[in-house]
Amino acid sequence: MTTEGRAFVRNSLLELMFAEPVLSMAHRIAHCVAQCAGTPEPWPELLPAVCAALSQGGGQGQVALFVLEQLPTYAPEMMASNAAALLQPLTDTLASADVRFRVGSLKATSAVLLVLESDQARAPFAPLLQPMLGALAAVLQAGHELEAREIVTT
């Protein structure tokens, strides 16, 4: 496949992922998107599209958070090199009133932190510790103990 063909497939997946109304299906497409991000060929449209979806919230925001949660598995270098650009969107999503959205944000933020190899790289994320703990508390207060357990053990 040509470079142009791969770019077309990637961008089509991105559009499909955000257009899919069924969250479980959108997560499957998001997993494919994360896998595609792991190829050596750059994908400059990915993170801007994900950040734009985060600002919209709702189903698109949840799918965007799921992509961020999956990316470290397939594209850790991409995540590490773009962590600073994700700081503000993650800060905003951790403050959401929607507990499910905060869960996704907590998982995505944790995933980003795991790819940062030095204290210096993690330092800008230190102010997120309190909102992360607040999100975990909100999950527990909402009665989602299994979800909280998954967050803490991953």
Side-chain angles (χ1 to χ4, degrees), residues 32-100:
C32 291
V33 166
Q35 287 177 321
C36 289
T39 62
E41 204 168 282
W43 192 355
E45 302 86 4
L46 178 60
L47 289 178
V50 167
C51 289
L54 285 176
S55 67
Q56 292 179 6
Q60 286 188 354
Q62 287 181 337
V63 172
L65 289 168
F66 184 77
V67 169
L68 291 177
E69 182 185 347
Q70 301 305 309
L71 276 174
T73 302
Y74 302 104
E77 297 84 15
M78 174 193 274
M79 290 297 289
S81 65
N82 290 285
L86 297 171
L87 182 58
Q88 189 58 52
L90 291 172
T91 300
D92 296 343
T93 58
L94 279 168
S96 172
D98 182 343
V99 173
R100 295 257 178 235

Side-chain angles (χ1 to χ4, degrees), residues 9-19 33 43 45-46 49:
V9 169
R10 285 177 162 188
N11 291 325
S12 295
L13 279 172
L14 205 52
E15 288 176 25
L16 285 170
M17 177 179 72
F18 290 127
V33 166
W43 192 355
E45 302 86 4
L46 178 60

